[in-house]
């Protein structure tokens, strides 16, 4: 065997070996093994996937009509960015439950952008505010929302009222929990601003444009980060601002309300109301399709209808009369992974028995059980002193603690 043949043989063996190693991971994912996990997952399990530095993940947490139901909460979209920032766009009633399924510590969920003050777009703000404190959010809640025709129709007025409504709840948390998160910082901006910057931090810019929906004081949002754009209509009739400012965005989430025919057949509205609700108060599926044809996003996402086996084909038929581009019709827990190269759409598999995630900062020691009772209420207490003593003793022994019974 001469030298050159030997070298040739070695090189060929080496190349074969490298090719084999390169092929191995690919091969492994395609082969079933009775003891290994499958590699390619077609569902999203919250809390198990890293977000790449250039990636945006959007989760639909509320996609239904204004009346909430088990399958679909009211409007809410979570946007998570590869730089660590997280934003909520609308927080309609029922959506807080879906949000908790995402397994995100509450400290990261303190930025909320409200498109308008219908309860199906901000009805769970109370649950995020107070519930967040109870689940250890130690940072103030930050809320952005539009002005209205008068100060009483604006976001600040609504949040002031919410705080008054929940005064008893907030007050009774003091002395019991770490209440640093009870503060709400409201930024009310002019609803008439066109493409106005309302947020600019950490490489993220969020702009508002006016929306046309039931009264002055409704807006849509456009988030821009790292060359990616996410647009969210909240509620609106098709309008010139959206058409001008959302052209070619990566993810275009726009309402596509139930068609007049669905409202008539399934919800038994009067014909005049079925038409005006779908076509004038909201955007009907055919109008939604037309808007998407005019703006050509990378992916059009329709929401704000009851998405069922019977309504989905009807909605699709309507939309396809006016739009033939990329489309997803959202339902709760639909997940969009967006990068410059790809948009992946999956459903999340959620854990019904989720517990609140650990806080990011240590909890402050509560100063002790608050006692703000009047003599009247106090006189009703059945002390059970022996039992209470024994519960404390049992707990202290089991946990090697030394917590005294409050006096
Ligand atoms: Zn509305
Ligand atoms: Zn709505």
């Amino acid at each position: 065997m001469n030298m050159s043949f030997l070298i040739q043989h070695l090189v060929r063996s080496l190349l074969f070996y490298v090719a084999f190693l390169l092929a191995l991971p690919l091969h492994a994912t395609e082969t079933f093994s009775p003891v290994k996990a499958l590699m390619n997952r077609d569902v999203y399990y919250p809390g198990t996937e890293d977000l790449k530095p250039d990636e945006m993940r959007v989760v639909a947490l509320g996609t239904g009509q204004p009346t909430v139901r088990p399958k679909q909460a009211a409007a809410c979209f979570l946007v998570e960015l590869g730089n660590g920032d997280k934003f909520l766009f609308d927080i309609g009633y029922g959506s807080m439950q879906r949000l908790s399924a995402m397994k995100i510590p509450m400290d990261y969920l303190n930025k909320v952008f409200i498109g308008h003050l219908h309860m199906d777009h901000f009805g769970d703000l109370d649950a995020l505010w107070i519930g967040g404190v109870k689940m250890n959010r130690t940072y103030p809640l930050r809320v952005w929302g539009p002005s209205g025709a008068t100060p009483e129709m604006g976001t600040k007025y609504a949040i002031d009222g919410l705080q008054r409504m929940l005064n008893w709840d907030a007050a009774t948390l003091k002395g019991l929990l770490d209440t640093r998160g009870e503060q709400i910082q409201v930024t009310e901006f002019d609803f008439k601003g066109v493409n106005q910057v309302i947020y600019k931090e950490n490489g993220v810019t969020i702009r508002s444009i006016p929306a046309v929906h039931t009264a002055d004081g409704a807006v849509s949002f456009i988030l821009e980060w790292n060359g990616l754009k996410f647009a969210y209509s909240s509620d609106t009739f098709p309008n010139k601002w959206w058409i001008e400012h959302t052209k070619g965005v990566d993810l275009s989430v726009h309402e596509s309300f139930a068609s007049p025919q669905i409202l008539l057949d399934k919800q038994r509205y009067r014909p005049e109301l079925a038409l005006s609700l779908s076509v004038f108060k909201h955007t009907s599926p055919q109008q939604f399709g037309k808007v998407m044809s005019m703006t050509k996003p990378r992916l059009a996402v329709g929401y704000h209808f009851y998405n069922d086996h019977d309504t989905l084909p009807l909605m699709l038929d309507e939309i396809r009369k006016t739009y033939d581009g990329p489309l997803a019709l959202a339902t709760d827990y639909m997940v969009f992974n967006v990068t410059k190269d790809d948009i992946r759409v999956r459903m999340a598999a959620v854990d019904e028995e989720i517990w609140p995630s650990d806080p990011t900062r240590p909890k402050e020691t509560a100063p002790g059980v608050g006692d703000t009772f009047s003599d009247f209420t106090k006189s009703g207490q059945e002390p059970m002193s022996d039992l209470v003593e024994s519960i404390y003793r049992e707990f202290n022994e089991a946990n090697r603690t030394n917590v005294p019974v409050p006096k």
Side-chain angles (χ1 to χ4, degrees):
M1 192 183 289
N2 65 32
M3 204 50 144
S4 79
F5 180 80
L6 187 69
I7 290 170
Q8 234 177 39
H9 179 75
L10 277 174
V11 167
R12 210 178 298 150
S13 307
L14 193 69
L15 281 177
F16 179 77
Y17 184 63
V18 168
F20 175 74
L21 281 181
L22 283 175
L24 199 59
L26 189 68
H27 184 72
T29 61
E30 288 169 348
T31 308
F32 177 76
S33 157
V35 292
K36 290 261 190 289
L38 289 172
M39 300 297 287
N40 290 325
R41 297 190 302 206
D42 296 320
V43 289
Y44 170 65
Y45 294 100
T48 65
E49 287 182 20
D50 294 343
L51 211 47
K52 295 186 204 87
D54 63 343
E55 187 176 17
M56 174 190 283
R57 179 167 59 216
V58 176
V59 190
L61 297 175
T63 59
Q65 275 169 232
T67 305
V68 71
R69 63 175 190 159
K71 183 176 171 181
Q72 285 173 285
C76 179
F77 282 79
L78 168 70
V79 176
E80 300 178 271
L81 304 178
N83 68 0
D85 279 337
K86 298 180 195 298
F87 303 90
L88 287 161
F89 288 91
D90 282 341
I91 180 152
Y93 31 44
S95 58
M96 185 62 202
Q97 192 191 80
R98 276 89 169 104
L99 184 58
S100 72
M102 293 301 111
K103 303 188 177 182
I104 300 169
M106 292 303 298
D107 280 343
Y108 293 118
L109 299 173
N110 71 333
K111 295 192 277 292
V112 188
F113 291 76
I114 298 170
H116 64 291
L117 294 166
H118 275 152
M119 286 295 273
D120 64 313
H121 293 259
F122 88 119
D124 258 12
L125 189 67
D126 51 1
L128 179 71
W129 176 41
I130 296 289
V133 175
K134 289 181 178 168
M135 296 200 289
N136 315 310
R137 186 192 61 244
T138 51
Y139 292 92
L141 188 62
R142 300 171 71 190
V143 178
W144 286 259
S147 62
T150 61
E152 294 76 29
M153 296 291 272
T155 303
K156 252 197 180 103
Y157 184 85
I159 306 296
D160 283 351
L162 181 76
Q163 282 176 294
R164 273 201 298 281
M165 182 174 93
L166 295 172
N167 181 47
W168 197 91
D169 196 325
T172 54
L173 298 181
K174 293 203 165 64
L176 192 63
L177 293 174
D178 182 337
T179 52
R180 281 174 288 182
E182 274 191 3
Q183 213 192 321
I184 307 184
Q185 296 170 354
V186 187
T187 306
E188 182 177 299
F189 56 85
D190 184 3
F191 77 90
K192 293 196 287 294
V194 178
N195 217 27
Q196 73 181 333
V197 174
I198 54 166
Y199 178 95
K200 200 175 174 66
E201 286 176 31
N202 203 17
V204 183
T205 305
I206 299 175
R207 294 181 165 87
S208 73
I209 51 175
V212 182
H213 175 64
T214 62
D216 281 357
V219 298
S220 304
F221 297 107
I222 303 158
L223 177 150
E224 193 170 1
W225 167 75
N226 198 34
L228 295 174
K229 268 190 179 183
F230 163 84
Y232 175 67
S233 74
S234 198
D235 283 354
T236 190
F237 183 81
N239 73 72
K240 63 175 186 182
W241 298 293
W242 181 274
I243 291 163
E244 185 182 343
H245 294 286
T246 72
K247 281 201 170 76
V249 300
D250 297 276
L251 208 65
S252 183
V253 180
H254 191 289
E255 70 149 304
S256 178
F257 210 73
S259 68
Q261 196 63 49
I262 292 173
L263 293 178
L264 183 77
D265 294 344
K266 298 268 294 188
Q267 292 191 273
R268 287 163 285 280
Y269 280 114
R270 286 179 288 110
E272 312 80 56
L273 187 58
L275 278 161
S276 75
L277 202 57
S278 177
V279 179
F280 283 103
K281 297 290 178 215
H282 291 278
T283 293
S284 70
Q286 286 198 48
Q287 289 163 304
F288 165 82
K290 181 85 182 162
V291 169
M292 292 305 141
S293 286
M294 294 169 85
T295 51
K296 296 188 174 37
R298 276 177 72 203
L299 180 65
V301 181
Y303 88 102
H304 223 339
F305 68 97
Y306 292 142
N307 192 341
D308 290 340
H309 69 281
D310 54 347
T311 54
L312 181 62
L314 298 174
M315 293 291 291
L316 207 50
D317 280 352
E318 291 283 292
I319 293 168
R320 287 309 187 198
K321 287 177 184 166
T322 51
Y323 176 62
D324 61 4
L327 172 71
L329 291 178
T331 192
D332 288 17
Y333 295 125
M334 193 174 273
V335 182
F336 308 86
N337 288 77
V338 185
T339 60
K340 288 209 172 83
D341 307 321
D342 188 36
I343 299 180
R344 189 177 186 203
V345 186
R346 292 175 293 171
M347 291 299 294
V350 302
D351 176 3
E352 289 277 323
E353 297 186 336
I354 176 68
W355 283 52
S357 299
D358 286 339
T360 60
R361 300 201 297 202
K363 293 182 210 177
E364 263 180 9
T365 312
V369 180
D371 188 357
T372 51
F373 296 130
S374 64
D375 289 345
F376 167 77
T377 307
K378 228 173 183 167
S379 73
Q381 262 183 341
E382 182 61 54
M384 300 185 178
S385 308
D386 292 350
L387 183 58
V388 168
E389 291 276 351
S390 114
I391 293 168
Y392 267 70
R393 194 168 46 248
E394 229 175 72
F395 179 95
N396 280 327
E397 277 167 22
N399 299 290
R400 294 181 189 169
T401 51
N402 194 20
V403 184
V405 181
K407 291 279 175 270

